[in-house]
Amino acid sequence: MIKNKPLEFMPGEEHRYSSSPYILLSAIIEKISGISHGEYIKERIFRPLYLEHTGVEDCRSIIKNLASGYSVCKEQIHAEYVDMTLHLSAGAMYSTVEDLYLWDRALYTDTLVSKDSLKILSDQCTAYCGSYGWVTNWTFWKYERFLVRLQSICSR
């Protein structure tokens, strides 16, 4: 799958966003833990942080108040169905504003990542999908510094 593809450039020379490392991370988590990626992050992240309205889509569960995506061609239309289980850790999650607030607050404790790791993620202002797939920017909202992992699949 990935290992047989040639490098597009040498490491450190350029940066191009790719979902492949996140999909590979899911496979590693599942292999080591013996449970699905969704169950793993539910047990290790969502429950400890009390993220009660955050999860991983499984294409079977009916998720109350889940927004559907839109596409714009000549007009705004509902996006085509995307089987999110194919994306694993590269974008199959859903959440609410309230849970995202709890997630954000947890970033500034040692619950999720160490203060040293957070410093590495947030010290530099980076371009879209810059270092580590995170974006930090002092001026984007013009109110406060933010740290967000961006992912967009059919405007979900």
Side-chain angles (χ1 to χ4, degrees), residues 43-54:
E43 290 177 11
R44 302 291 179 117
I45 298 174
F46 302 159
R47 282 190 185 135
L49 297 180
Y50 303 100
L51 304 179
E52 297 176 13
H53 304 288
T54 299

Side-chain angles (χ1 to χ4, degrees), residues 27 29 96 103 106 124 126 132 136 139 143:
I29 289 170
T96 62
W103 165 264
Q124 302 177 38
T126 56
Y132 306 104
T136 59
T139 60
Y143 295 111

